[in-house]
């Protein structure tokens, strides 16, 4: 849905800004489309169902980091 895509893009943009500040470069591809971002997060969520109970912004953030191979310590880590 449009709301889902908007949420994903908002979290991804916020993460990318933080990444830029820390690493002086972008993590996300400049030409990534809204549809691509939504598909990347959906795929990651389907591959990690054990995390679905966690906060949505944390899930999107990790999906972006892992899917675009961002070299960073900004990943959320859950202590189980």
């Amino acid at each position: 849905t449009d709301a889902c895509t908007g949420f994903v893009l908002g979290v991804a943009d916020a993460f990318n800004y933080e990444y830029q500040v820390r690493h002086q470069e972008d993590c996300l591809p400049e030409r990534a489309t809204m549809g691509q971002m939504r598909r990347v997060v959906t795929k990651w969520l389907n591959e990690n169902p054990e995390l679905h109970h966690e906060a949505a912004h944390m899930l999107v953030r990790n999906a972006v980091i892992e899917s675009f191979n961002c070299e960073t310590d900004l990943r959320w880590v859950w202590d189980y």
Side-chain angles (χ1 to χ4, degrees), residues 15-16 19 23 25-29 61-75:
F15 161 73
N16 200 47
Y19 189 89
H23 299 283
E25 63 183 2
D26 285 334
C27 171
L28 302 181
R61 183 183 186 107
N62 279 14
V64 167
I65 290 170
E66 291 180 22
S67 299
F68 292 104
N69 298 314
C70 304
E71 296 292 329
T72 185
D73 61 346
L74 298 172
R75 179 186 321 268

Side-chain angles (χ1 to χ4, degrees), residues 13-70:
D13 283 346
F15 161 73
N16 200 47
Y17 174 76
E18 187 176 356
Y19 189 89
Q20 288 171 332
V21 168
R22 192 170 289 190
H23 299 283
Q24 303 302 309
E25 63 183 2
D26 285 334
C27 171
L28 302 181
E30 187 175 316
R31 297 176 190 248
T33 66
M34 290 186 291
Q36 179 186 14
M37 294 300 293
R38 187 181 63 243
R39 287 188 301 276
V40 159
V41 171
T42 300
K43 180 179 183 289
W44 189 89
L45 288 170
N46 286 334
E47 293 171 352
N48 295 278
E50 72 282 1
L51 298 174
H52 286 187
H53 65 283
E54 299 293 349
H57 70 282
M58 295 177 182
L59 298 174
V60 171
R61 183 183 186 107
N62 279 14
V64 167
I65 290 170
E66 291 180 22
S67 299
F68 292 104
N69 298 314
C70 304

